[in-house]
Amino acid sequence: MAELRAAVSGDSAQTPVVVAGGDRDSRFARRMIIVGATILSVVALVAVFAPLLSPWGETEIDPANTLVAPGGNHLLGTDGNGMDIWSRVLYAARLDLGIALAAVALAVVVGTLLGLVAGYFGGWLDDVLMRVVDIFQSFPTFILALAVAALLGNGTINLIITIAAVNAPAYARLVRAEVRSLRELPFVDAAITSGASPVGVLWRHLLPNSLTPVRVIAPLNCGWAMLTLAGLSFLGLGVSIPEAEWGAMISLGAADVVGGRWWTSVPPGLALFVCVLGFSLLGEGLQDRANAKRR
Amino acid sequence: MRIFRFVVRRLLQLIPVLLGVVVLAFLLVRVLPGDPVRSILGQNATEEDAAAARARFGLDQSLWQQFLDYLRGLVTGDFGTSIQSGNSVGSEMALRVGPTLELVVIAVSIALVVATVLGIWSAKRANRVGDHSVRMFALVGNSIPEFWLGLVLVLVGYSILGWFPAPNGRVDPDTNLTPLTGADLVDAVLTANGPAIASAAAYLVLPVLTLVVGVVAPLLRSVRASALEVLHSESYAAAKAHGLRDRTLHYGYLLRATLVRLPSLAALVFGTAIGSTVLVEYVYSWQGFGQWALRGLLYRDYPVVQASVLVIALCYVLVFLIADVVHAILDPRVRL
Amino acid sequence: MLSIENLSVTIRRPGRQVAALSGVTFAVRPGEVVGLVGESGGGKSMVARAIVGLLPGGSHATGRVLFGDSDVLRMDDAALAAHRGRGVAICFQNPRGALSPTRTIGKQLVDRLATHQDMSGDRAREAARELFEAVGIRSPQRRLDAYAHELSGGMAQRVMISLATGCAPDLLIADEPTTGLDVTLTREILRQFRHAADTDGRGVLLISHDLASIAEVCDRVVVLYAGTVVESGPAAQVLREPAHPYTRALLRSVPDVGGRPVVATPGAMPLLTEAPENCPFVARCAHADRTCSSRRPGTQPIPGGREWSLACFHPQTRPLDADLPSTSHTPDAGDAQPAAADPKPAVLEIEDAHVVYRSRFGSGGHHALRGVTLRLAPGETLGVVGESGCGKSTLAKLVMGLVAPTSGTVTVAGQALVKQPGRPRPRGRALRRARTRAQLVFQDPIGSLSPRRTVGDSIAEPLRAAGLSPAQREERVTAVLDRMELDRSILQRYPHELSGGQAQRIGIARALVGEPDLIVFDEPTSALDVTVQAQILDVIADVAADADRASVFISHDLATVRGFADRVVVLYLGRVVEEGPVDVVFDTPRHPYTRALLGSAPRLGGTAGADGEAVELVKDLEEADAATGCPLAARCPFVTDRCRSEQQELQSYGESRAACWRVPELPALIGRQAVTP
């Protein structure tokens, strides 16, 4: 509801009085979605075509030029091992994007299934599942990720499992809550009285409707997964050098930053930031749109 | 007093949860791959050396016996002995908790105030330029890797501008600060040590700023969203249509209704901040709890990991308890 | 005081444009109650918003909204702030939502008093207490410290009225003030507005979809259709002999407890994108000719009527009753047999069923049904009436096997659908087939359709359980669509794309497609607009008349039940208080509660309650409790000690049965009550 504002002050009753607003909401949301999607498409393209775009190999060492400043042969300089920063920033998109997407997909599938079952059937199954979720959620997620990563050890698959395990409880809780509120709606009663089986009710009616909030959360979550992955690598619990990963690259250059040699840490961090921002923009835009629909 | 009864009941409910955490932490560290003893002995230690070291830390006994010993220690306030340093875990931890809490509490407090003020301001200007800028700021805060932001702030604030001290501690050792609580700014104020106050404050600026940027984003989004919801609500429209003054509307109908949902999120954010300190302390060489716990984890220092898991869980549930009480005070619909 | 002149509002948003109001003109004078009537989409709320200067974003408004000497549309912020509250105060449609949840209602009222009447401190609190008392809130001092969530619907509406009057406005606007309230409360709330006009000299604008119910307290009514004023005039006259075809359609769509049949008007209100060039009602009007579709009728005063005007080329002059069959008649009342004499096996049997909803934490629980016994034969239609909280919906769920009886038994076509003491229950596929023998039509038509499933999918759901092939399913679905007079193209659509009327036809189609033995209609029309309601009632009457199927029709509105039920059951706090053939119960009610219900139901033509013998219940429903004895004891004006201590059983009185031992004495008692009110 907007304030009434006279656009033209005149006596004539036929001059229309215009109340501003109404459409700017959706325009901003659309812009966020477009910008976010563009960023992510570019990152995805970079990941796919990294070999074509980078002058040096992912782990190629130029022993004569360690820690050289940007310019010349090395667009963004080299790190302490003599590896080309620019090339590695491009290559790193593969691991970062890949692990984050795979982890979130896994978390969504597992979390949704658990939430559906717990929410619909209730009873002891629900109690047990929710207590497990409670324990998971009584720790800060990053701390939990640290512990699970330490438990499982390094490796791409283990990192995917780690990040998925830390996120799945949130999806389980979200879907469970959604299912429980949907269950009270008349269309579920309608399905039951129409003779639908419990699996039919779950699969055909509750699942498609309970995914609405998941769709909005998942992009935001992808960004968070990337930050977690980078954070783990930064502390030495994730991807380790010489593999190209933004967090590990920042970690490698951290000591140089204090001495003013910014090019080892700043570019990978910037790439990570922009990529996460893409997910955030997309997620925020989708959320806005969902809110507008609900209103 | 209903709130008092509620708090007591919740504290009693904590006991089984914490007991569960104790058991889980105990088992968790023991399934971690890697041997804590090997890491302190070095390359050319013999099997006998290792066995002797194991016996020293009680690791040669049955799992059950180890657990009972650990529990017995806990009851008397003894967290065990660090395998790495050989010191008492309890006294090591006491030195480490203060600095970290100082960081987190200051950062979360600043973030809460900024989020409330900016969030409501932004919601009142929904979809104008100011609002869009606030939202973009929140998105950036949400997306920026804290450890990298920390590095960039060091680069700018220390390496280039030279305004802030190097990331090598929490207070200038020349100020001769006597540690009391471990939180240096608090200690400096308590001992009325002028130079130490200035130094501790200067050291705090960058790490706190780093944490605030990350922590303020979710709070800001939430405050803005609930303020918008209140502004769009029928009840606010009704108050407005009845011509109430702006001040009355703001303080009577917007503020409290907006803040109702903040406490539980603030508790969650407090937890996130504890997680973030692991990274931020690493960047600023802040000898705090996060770094201590991380090292324990990396070197499989069983007593250290157990103690830190327990403390984090305790801290987290206590913060949530406080949040629930504040929520109940703010929201008349909540029954304790 | 308020004079709206030629007000037009167009809302422009990207991708769509709506002409919400087109040339609306009317006035409200001090001390006058004006009713603004129409269906949703007619523009009633937009008028209210324009008056308080809160038009939605994207609005383009022309014309004038004169309040005193100044035009609200062209006021600056300061003038608007002064105008809101002091000039005009609104009572909102959903009072509980319109009260701030985190501030005590006393403080909210004091805020209004402080802003508009410069009161403060104890004086404001005292004034607040008095205002609460004036609107009929008991123990007002205590209530000052209550929060909105602690109030019942009726109480919240009273608080809302006190908040609005607390602003001391010149004009009071009430947006659908009685929606969701029970009939007995509706009258009381409406009287509050009459009171505000009579004693304080305020102008009152009452917005409602229900002309008949507000006409009693209004001086004049203004009828809106598709954003235009089609008729305005003295309330009594418009109600008795409406001149505009739409007003007539509106009135005829409302069933009446007297048994007058509903006449449905086909079609739906058009959604205009710009001001209409012709009569907006032309597509649905029986009197329409070429003039109507080419030109828009101007507003003309009606000769002989005081301030009576309408926008129509073909004004109707006969009283509304004249073109209706004069005899009270219910369709297919003749072919219904009393249940006891029917040899066919019962479709539905409920034996002494109790339902207790246990509260989550052990003790207590809500006793929703207390010993209900019903039997329904094929072809029979049973009406179930009662106010909110009487257990109607629980009864529907009980029949459908969605809740289990705590004690007692329920069978549909001889089979138990839920676990109940001492009965076998089919399982798996057999249970699913048994379930399809009874079907439910829901109150919320759109909400009862799965949001992400197509309409065709939803209709076919019962057939899926029966194991029909896709081809057979399609055949049955198209057959039932034809019966509901729906186009096939609707099968591919999703629920949010449907209008309420369409969605309810789909709901009925789904109930019908598996040819069940029993259909339960749970308040099927209460969420619909008046003329759509009439169309759906037509459809339901047709379905209920199927000879081999039994129907249960549940409603809070007695009039809709009378239309086509054979027998009627009156529920109060989970008990059957009266039961019998529908005409007998409605024409000669026995139980005091039935008498009260019938007495407060609105009637056309202004004839008050049943033969002027209305029973007035003394308290609100929310304050009654039924621990022992008669459930009505706390509210009944004829209560004795025996009523309070003794459980009342159904006893036969003539053709009907009532659970009240004082029935024989009641006529005399009611006479006495009328003399000394």
Side-chain angles (χ1 to χ4, degrees):
Chain A
M1 216 180 284
E3 289 286 330
L4 194 66
R5 228 162 272 279
V8 189
S9 53
D11 256 2
S12 165
Q14 288 318 307
T15 320
V17 176
V18 180
V19 184
D23 56 329
R24 278 192 285 187
D25 219 7
S26 57
R27 226 187 299 155
F28 190 63
R30 199 169 59 232
R31 251 181 240 162
M32 285 198 287
I33 293 175
I34 291 173
V35 174
T38 310
I39 291 176
L40 293 176
S41 320
V42 169
V43 175
L45 285 176
V46 165
V48 172
F49 297 109
L52 300 177
L53 297 169
S54 38
W56 297 75
E58 187 184 355
T59 55
E60 196 176 343
I61 292 177
D62 182 3
N65 294 307
T66 56
L67 217 54
V68 296
N73 263 343
H74 299 282
L75 189 59
L76 284 175
T78 60
D79 60 20
N81 297 327
M83 296 196 271
D84 183 59
I85 304 269
W86 167 247
S87 305
R88 284 171 61 76
V89 164
L90 297 184
Y91 268 104
R94 296 182 151 189
L95 264 186
D96 276 281
L97 203 59
I99 291 180
L101 289 177
V104 171
L106 185 62
V108 165
V109 170
V110 172
T112 303
L113 284 179
L114 290 179
L116 265 184
V117 170
Y120 187 66
F121 292 104
W124 65 268
L125 194 69
D126 183 35
D127 286 341
V128 170
L129 279 172
M130 283 305 115
R131 286 303 80 74
V132 172
V133 168
D134 276 349
I135 290 177
F136 264 77
Q137 298 204 322
S138 65
F139 288 95
T141 38
F142 188 69
I143 302 271
L144 207 59
L146 278 178
V148 180
L151 185 71
L152 293 177
N154 289 17
T156 310
I157 300 291
N158 285 343
L159 280 170
I160 291 174
I161 296 175
T162 299
I163 295 172
V166 172
N167 279 310
Y171 287 105
R173 173 157 287 182
L174 188 71
V175 170
R176 173 182 176 270
E178 193 70 15
V179 167
R180 288 185 70 106
S181 64
L182 285 172
R183 242 177 58 171
E184 302 299 315
L185 295 183
F187 78 85
V188 178
D189 280 348
I192 294 172
T193 57
S194 298
S197 63
V199 175
V201 172
L202 259 185
W203 191 255
R204 291 161 35 78
H205 298 285
L206 290 175
L207 178 65
N209 291 304
S210 59
L211 282 181
T212 314
V214 172
R215 258 186 282 261
V216 174
I217 302 293
L220 289 172
N221 200 221
C222 283
W224 185 88
M226 278 191 140
L227 290 178
T228 308
L229 171 66
L232 289 175
S233 301
F234 182 74
L235 296 176
L237 281 161
V239 177
S240 43
I241 301 295
E243 275 190 280
E245 195 280 334
W246 291 325
M249 292 174 70
I250 298 171
S251 180
L252 187 68
D256 303 324
V257 168
V258 184
R261 287 181 290 276
W262 56 270
W263 61 87
T264 46
S265 280
V266 173
L270 205 59
L272 174 61
F273 167 57
V274 169
C275 187
V276 176
L277 189 64
F279 279 118
S280 298
L281 284 167
L282 187 64
E284 182 95 354
L286 289 175
Q287 195 145 39
D288 256 23
R289 197 181 263 182
N291 287 348
K293 224 179 250 175
R294 224 181 21 193
R295 214 167 267 154
Chain B
M1 197 66 211
R2 232 199 324 237
I3 287 185
F4 180 73
R5 269 215 310 271
F6 169 76
V7 169
V8 170
R9 202 172 62 226
R10 279 285 295 268
L11 285 175
L12 288 177
Q13 283 172 357
L14 276 186
I15 295 171
V17 173
L18 289 179
L19 209 64
V21 169
V22 167
V23 175
L24 267 176
F26 182 84
L27 291 176
L28 175 83
V29 290
R30 276 160 183 81
V31 294
L32 283 178
D35 185 346
V37 173
R38 283 280 166 201
S39 68
I40 56 166
L41 289 178
Q43 296 287 314
N44 34 15
T46 62
E47 269 308 311
E48 282 143 36
D49 293 342
R54 277 205 189 87
R56 187 146 41 92
F57 294 105
L59 295 176
D60 53 344
Q61 298 183 352
S62 72
L63 211 59
W64 184 239
Q65 190 58 43
Q66 288 185 43
F67 182 66
L68 282 185
D69 287 345
Y70 174 55
L71 262 193
R72 200 169 304 136
L74 274 187
V75 174
T76 57
D78 177 10
F79 287 95
T81 310
S82 163
I83 297 175
Q84 278 290 313
S85 66
N87 297 331
S88 147
V89 170
S91 55
E92 267 192 11
M93 194 161 57
L95 279 177
R96 299 292 193 137
V97 170
T100 299
L101 273 187
E102 183 177 36
L103 264 189
V104 174
V105 169
I106 294 179
V108 172
S109 309
I110 292 177
L112 278 173
V113 173
V114 170
T116 306
V117 173
L118 219 50
I120 293 181
W121 181 85
S122 175
K124 281 189 157 180
R125 275 155 203 78
N127 286 311
R128 288 196 241 152
V129 179
D131 174 47
H132 287 172
S133 327
V134 168
R135 295 186 69 183
M136 289 316 294
F137 168 68
L139 279 177
V140 166
N142 231 9
S143 314
I144 208 158
E146 278 140 343
F147 51 97
W148 180 71
L149 175 66
L151 286 176
V152 172
L153 287 179
V154 167
L155 182 73
V156 175
Y158 165 71
S159 307
I160 298 179
L161 297 174
W163 291 354
F164 299 100
N168 57 5
R170 307 194 302 262
V171 69
D172 192 338
D174 297 342
T175 57
N176 294 319
L177 177 65
T178 14
L180 297 169
T181 60
D184 293 308
L185 191 59
V186 178
D187 292 348
V189 171
L190 288 179
T191 55
N193 186 339
I197 295 179
S199 166
Y203 271 100
L204 267 171
V205 172
L206 292 184
V208 164
L209 186 59
T210 311
L211 268 182
V212 165
V213 170
V215 155
V216 81
L219 292 173
L220 188 52
R221 283 176 43 150
S222 156
V223 170
R224 181 183 174 275
S226 23
L228 262 187
E229 207 170 286
V230 175
L231 287 171
H232 283 288
S233 73
E234 268 183 86
S235 59
Y236 190 84
K240 197 169 170 163
H242 283 177
L244 297 187
R245 294 189 197 99
D246 283 347
R247 267 184 67 87
T248 318
L249 281 178
H250 186 85
Y251 290 101
Y253 293 80
L254 179 58
L255 195 59
R256 186 169 164 195
T258 297
L259 294 185
V260 151
R261 260 184 291 158
L262 198 56
S264 49
L265 185 72
L268 203 66
V269 160
F270 193 89
T272 319
I274 291 179
S276 301
T277 52
V278 179
L279 291 161
V280 173
E281 286 180 8
Y282 188 92
V283 171
Y284 289 96
S285 311
W286 196 266
Q287 297 296 317
F289 183 79
Q291 263 198 298
W292 179 72
L294 178 67
R295 282 208 357 180
L297 189 66
L298 291 177
Y299 293 113
R300 313 293 188 241
D301 195 340
Y302 293 172
V304 171
V305 177
Q306 284 167 187
S308 37
V309 167
L310 187 59
V311 165
I312 289 172
L314 181 70
C315 190
Y316 213 41
V317 286
L318 281 182
V319 167
F320 266 97
L321 175 59
I322 295 171
D324 282 351
V325 171
V326 175
H327 185 194
I329 293 171
L330 282 177
D331 191 345
R333 287 164 294 188
V334 173
R335 285 179 180 255
L336 291 182
Chain C
M1 173 177 52
L2 171 74
S3 163
I4 296 181
E5 292 172 6
N6 206 17
L7 173 66
S8 299
V9 176
T10 310
I11 300 171
R12 291 181 196 156
R13 297 261 171 92
R16 72 199 162 98
Q17 173 170 334
V18 178
L21 296 176
S22 312
V24 169
T25 301
F26 72 92
V28 181
R29 285 183 293 260
E32 187 182 40
V33 181
V34 174
L36 190 59
V37 181
E39 294 173 276
S40 61
K44 297 170 308 215
S45 297
M46 199 58 69
V47 171
R49 283 172 164 226
I51 297 172
V52 286
L54 282 170
L55 286 172
S59 301
H60 293 238
T62 59
R64 287 177 212 273
V65 179
L66 289 174
F67 195 85
D69 298 327
S70 43
D71 185 350
V72 180
L73 292 180
R74 290 164 183 80
M75 279 183 183
D76 57 18
D77 284 353
L80 261 184
H83 167 67
R84 288 180 191 146
R86 194 74 184 85
V88 183
I90 296 197
C91 295
F92 287 83
Q93 178 169 9
N94 166 15
R96 225 175 313 181
L99 295 170
S100 177
T102 50
R103 203 166 172 80
T104 63
I105 54 176
K107 268 194 197 148
Q108 296 190 43
L109 179 48
V110 168
D111 286 339
R112 267 91 176 161
L113 295 172
T115 308
H116 298 292
Q117 302 195 30
D118 289 324
M119 290 188 193
S120 59
D122 289 345
R123 208 162 82 79
R125 235 181 117 78
E126 179 55 27
R129 199 190 61 77
E130 281 167 14
L131 268 170
F132 272 11
E133 202 159 16
V135 292
I137 294 175
R138 264 175 283 276
S139 49
Q141 188 71 43
R142 200 164 47 86
R143 286 286 180 186
L144 285 176
D145 297 320
Y147 286 96
H149 68 279
E150 299 164 350
L151 306 175
S152 67
M155 192 67 80
Q157 189 56 266
R158 287 169 208 251
V159 171
M160 195 71 234
I161 295 172
S162 75
L163 289 189
T165 49
C167 300
D170 298 324
L171 175 68
L172 197 58
I173 302 179
D175 192 356
E176 303 271 4
T178 58
T179 306
L181 297 185
D182 288 322
V183 276
T184 45
L185 211 55
T186 297
R187 287 185 129 193
E188 145 82 23
I189 293 290
L190 287 177
R191 266 186 230 133
Q192 294 284 350
F193 291 108
R194 183 73 251 176
H195 183 78
D198 290 344
T199 58
D200 304 331
R202 306 189 202 288
V204 176
L205 185 63
L206 267 183
I207 297 176
S208 176
H209 64 280
D210 188 354
L211 176 51
S213 74
I214 64 161
E216 190 186 329
V217 294
C218 289
D219 297 308
R220 288 187 303 121
V221 290
V222 175
V223 183
L224 281 182
Y225 183 78
T228 63
V229 175
V230 294
E231 180 164 5
S232 71
Q237 259 170 303
V238 171
L239 190 66
R240 206 165 43 244
E241 37 195 287
H244 196 281
Y246 174 65
T247 318
R248 299 174 82 84
L250 199 60
L251 284 168
R252 281 184 208 158
S253 298
V254 184
D256 168 272
V257 274
R260 184 177 51 78
V262 163
V263 180
T265 309
M269 195 183 302
L271 204 75
L272 300 175
T273 53
E274 47 193 75
E277 298 283 314
N278 52 11
C279 174
F281 191 59
V282 65
R284 304 172 70 186
C285 185
H287 309 282
D289 59 17
R290 203 174 297 146
T291 331
C292 300
S293 48
S294 62
R295 283 196 295 132
R296 183 170 155 199
T299 305
Q300 302 290 336
I302 294 181
R306 198 171 56 87
E307 293 187 285
W308 192 359
S309 63
L310 86 164
C312 183
F313 295 117
H314 309 286
Q316 306 296 304
T317 48
R318 284 175 303 167
L320 190 63
D321 295 339
D323 36 318
L324 296 170
S326 53
T327 49
S328 146
H329 130 96
T330 42
D332 67 78
D335 51 33
Q337 301 296 318
D342 202 327
K344 280 181 278 184
V347 172
L348 169 68
E349 274 192 290
I350 304 178
E351 268 296 318
D352 193 32
H354 289 253
V355 174
V356 181
Y357 291 115
R358 300 222 173 280
S359 61
R360 269 180 72 96
F361 307 103
S363 66
H366 171 54
H367 210 144
L369 285 182
R370 301 162 184 258
V372 172
T373 301
L374 286 175
R375 191 171 179 282
L376 202 58
E380 207 180 4
T381 302
L382 176 73
V384 177
V385 294
E387 291 174 293
S388 56
C390 73
K392 299 181 304 248
S393 297
T394 305
L395 184 63
K397 289 189 166 183
L398 181 74
V399 172
M400 300 310 299
L402 291 170
V403 296
T406 313
S407 69
T409 58
V410 186
T411 56
V412 172
Q415 283 177 304
L417 298 180
V418 282
K419 217 166 74 180
Q420 38 188 285
R423 289 235 167 192
R425 175 177 82 127
R427 307 198 135 263
R429 183 159 280 262
L431 171 65
R432 290 166 53 195
R433 283 206 187 158
R435 278 195 185 282
T436 63
R437 301 324 306 151
Q439 286 294 303
L440 182 59
V441 175
F442 293 80
Q443 176 171 14
D444 173 4
I446 293 174
S448 72
L449 298 171
S450 196
R452 294 193 182 270
R453 292 267 151 204
T454 61
V455 163
D457 213 22
S458 286
I459 297 180
E461 186 90 48
L463 301 177
R464 203 181 293 271
L468 265 59
S469 72
Q472 285 171 305
R473 275 189 239 158
E474 198 186 312
E475 191 185 320
R476 297 274 285 274
V477 168
T478 46
V480 79
L481 266 193
D482 288 344
R483 183 162 182 195
M484 289 300 119
E485 291 163 2
L486 289 169
D487 193 75
R488 311 244 157 115
S489 64
I490 209 167
L491 290 176
Q492 297 312 315
R493 292 211 252 162
Y494 286 91
H496 66 266
E497 300 169 286
L498 305 176
S499 70
Q502 284 173 327
Q504 198 56 295
R505 280 173 201 263
I506 301 291
I508 297 172
R510 172 176 57 190
L512 211 52
V513 75
E515 299 190 342
D517 302 317
L518 173 68
I519 298 185
V520 178
F521 299 92
D522 184 6
E523 304 252 14
T525 59
S526 62
L528 302 175
D529 261 327
V530 180
T531 57
V532 179
Q533 188 177 339
Q535 295 165 11
I536 296 297
L537 284 175
D538 254 11
V539 173
I540 293 175
D542 178 51
V543 169
D546 287 357
D548 48 355
R549 184 174 304 121
S551 315
V552 175
F553 188 90
I554 297 173
S555 178
H556 70 282
D557 182 359
L558 299 110
T560 54
V561 172
R562 178 153 205 179
F564 42 82
D566 304 321
R567 272 196 304 145
V568 64
V569 157
V570 181
L571 277 184
Y572 183 75
L573 291 182
R575 290 195 179 90
V576 176
V577 295
E578 184 157 356
E579 190 211 355
V582 70
D583 288 341
V584 175
V585 172
F586 278 45
D587 290 336
T588 54
R590 304 288 181 181
H591 197 279
Y593 179 67
T594 317
R595 287 172 188 264
L597 273 187
L598 285 165
S600 44
R603 277 162 198 258
L604 291 189
T607 46
D611 316 323
E613 292 183 354
V615 170
E616 299 256 348
L617 299 179
V618 292
K619 278 183 183 172
D620 293 347
L621 183 60
E622 74 226 34
E623 294 176 26
D625 54 340
T628 55
C630 175
L632 194 65
R635 298 173 71 193
C636 185
F638 316 116
V639 66
T640 65
D641 284 345
R642 187 174 158 193
C643 297
R644 291 199 185 90
S645 59
E646 239 174 66
Q647 180 95 16
Q648 297 297 311
E649 302 294 339
L650 284 174
Q651 302 170 26
S652 289
Y653 295 102
E655 282 183 77
S656 62
R657 301 192 299 154
C660 178
W661 66 278
R662 298 197 85 186
V663 165
E665 318 166 39
L666 280 181
L669 289 168
I670 289 167
R672 220 175 304 151
Q673 186 198 30
V675 176
T676 51

